[in-house]
Amino acid sequence: MLAWFTLILCCQLAGEVATGLLALPVPGPVLGMVLLFLFMAMKREIPEGLAQTGDALLSNLSLLFVPAGVGIMAHATLLAQDWQALSVAVVVSTVLTIAVTALVMVWIKRLTAGVTNDA
Amino acid sequence: MRDLSQVWVYLAASPLLHLTLTLIAYQAGSWLHRKSGNNPLVNPVLIAVLALVGILVFTDTSYQTYFNGAQFVHFLLGPATVALAIPLYRQFEHVRKSAIAILASIIAGSLTAAGSAVAIAWAMGAGTGAIISVAPKSVTAPVAMGIAEQLGGLPSLTAALVILTGITGAMLGPLVMNFLRISDWQARGLAMGTASHGIGTARALQVNEVAGAFSGLAMGLNALATAILLPLAWKLFF
């Protein structure tokens, strides 16, 4: 468990260092995700302990956003300035984005499934 | 026996109190979420945030003091993001089969997210700083803040809007897709991750492992797509 958690931290650390040095447009942890993925791809399996550690981290992923969420209180005055425009923009744009992304995925899958016949 | 205010001074200076409160508030939110039959509108993050903000305002505690305790939870976001590689690896065969559809839908979603947010904020008379700051709202916070800074927005306003977008997507996303009769877990996951980054991914993971894996993938690819496309589009139009 500890060894696998250390591996996860090493992936994140390597990701942070690489994005910092190369000024990459992705955050360190996302690059760390790619590195951990490559590790499993090389091993051609997910080691049992890694799966347990990762699933434990992900089982309460929502909790991890709570401190940042409380941080909104620190920006209350900034949000208050344009709150009507911003709240409509956030709600309508988020709904539109979800609809467009899901519909495009379903449509293209349907189109390509007709061609390749492997779905 | 010591005065209660002395105990309070001690507790307020130690990370224990606010760390514990964070865990309690979240579990209360989760309990209500389960009681509601996992209704997406009863969002555990929103409940916990509202409860904690109420407590902090009532006890006149600064966010900095709160964060001294909550940072231990916040820190785990990084390793958890790395761990998203695991559900992704489990689903990789399916990801490879639908690679073109995945890329097309994430790019369509990325452009919709930024374009519609900018158009609405502009039409409703928001200031330039606010318009720029809302543009990358669907992208995971560190990248969104970087984009806002690059284009001349306010990174801290963007950080707040990113969180609000995440909670909005986690609450409304399942309802929107049920309304559109989208039952494909891959499409549902991609939409959640593209529109509402990690908070949407957290909701997707709780509901279905396929949706969670595709949501984590979409979060990463949308960060990349928006970081590349948004500054280009911005130069084109302004």
Side-chain angles (χ1 to χ4, degrees):
Chain A
M1 195 86 169
L2 186 61
W4 296 114
F5 188 64
T6 310
L7 174 72
I8 290 173
L9 287 185
C10 285
C11 288
Q12 187 187 349
L13 185 60
E16 299 278 12
V17 170
T19 51
L21 283 179
L22 306 171
L24 298 176
V26 288
V30 169
L31 191 58
M33 186 204 301
V34 175
L35 294 175
L36 185 64
F37 185 91
L38 292 177
F39 171 82
M40 291 180 290
M42 277 182 339
K43 284 227 141 205
R44 293 180 169 277
E45 59 156 8
I46 308 171
E48 180 64 26
L50 178 62
Q52 280 172 7
T53 310
D55 289 340
L57 270 171
L58 292 175
S59 61
N60 285 299
L61 185 57
S62 292
L63 162 68
L64 312 186
F65 289 96
V66 171
V70 176
I72 291 176
M73 72 181 270
H75 305 303
T77 42
L78 268 178
L79 282 169
Q81 282 171 355
D82 282 306
W83 71 270
Q84 283 162 315
L86 290 176
S87 47
V88 175
V90 163
V91 172
V92 175
S93 166
T94 303
V95 167
L96 278 177
T97 305
I98 286 174
V100 167
T101 312
L103 288 173
V104 169
M105 179 66 175
V106 169
W107 288 336
I108 297 187
K109 266 178 82 173
R110 208 173 286 161
L111 280 176
T112 49
V115 179
T116 55
N117 250 337
D118 66 352
Chain B
M1 195 178 123
R2 277 206 282 186
D3 197 329
L4 186 65
S5 67
Q6 273 178 302
V7 178
W8 172 251
V9 167
Y10 164 74
L11 274 180
S14 133
L16 175 65
L17 175 65
H18 292 115
L19 178 58
T20 311
L21 282 178
T22 302
L23 294 177
I24 292 173
Y26 176 73
Q27 285 173 86
S30 288
W31 182 80
L32 285 171
H33 179 69
R34 282 194 305 273
K35 279 276 154 191
S36 74
N38 296 334
N39 185 331
L41 291 177
V42 186
N43 181 277
V45 180
L46 181 66
I47 294 167
V49 166
L50 289 177
L52 288 164
V53 169
I55 292 169
L56 296 184
V57 170
F58 186 72
T59 57
D60 198 19
T61 308
S62 74
Y63 180 64
Q64 195 52 54
T65 307
Y66 165 77
F67 194 75
N68 284 341
Q71 62 176 319
F72 301 103
V73 168
H74 182 74
F75 170 77
L76 290 173
L77 262 184
T81 304
V82 175
L84 284 172
I86 296 165
L88 183 58
Y89 185 79
R90 288 188 187 125
Q91 298 299 325
F92 194 60
E93 227 11 75
H94 301 290
V95 171
R96 211 159 42 184
K97 265 189 195 150
S98 324
I100 294 168
I102 290 170
L103 287 179
S105 63
I106 291 173
I107 289 170
S110 173
L111 294 173
T112 305
S116 63
V118 166
I120 294 166
W122 174 78
M124 290 189 65
T128 312
I131 293 176
I132 298 173
S133 304
V134 81
K137 65 165 185 12
S138 286
V139 178
T140 187
V143 174
M145 291 170 75
I147 295 173
E149 193 164 27
Q150 190 189 343
L151 299 179
L154 306 159
S156 55
L157 178 57
T158 298
L161 292 169
V162 165
I163 296 281
L164 290 173
T165 300
I167 294 175
T168 304
M171 291 170 72
L172 300 181
L175 304 178
V176 172
M177 290 185 285
N178 288 347
F179 176 76
L180 294 173
R181 298 179 189 282
I182 291 162
S183 53
D184 181 320
W185 287 115
Q186 299 182 358
R188 289 179 74 106
L190 285 180
M192 292 297 272
T194 304
S196 50
H197 53 91
I199 301 183
T201 301
R203 162 81 199 180
L205 265 176
Q206 271 173 353
V207 177
N208 180 281
E209 166 142 46
V210 176
F214 277 72
S215 186
L217 175 70
M219 176 183 80
L221 288 179
N222 184 35
L224 194 61
T226 309
I228 295 168
L229 294 177
L230 187 55
L232 284 177
W234 196 260
K235 264 189 222 148
L236 217 61
F237 290 111
F238 296 95

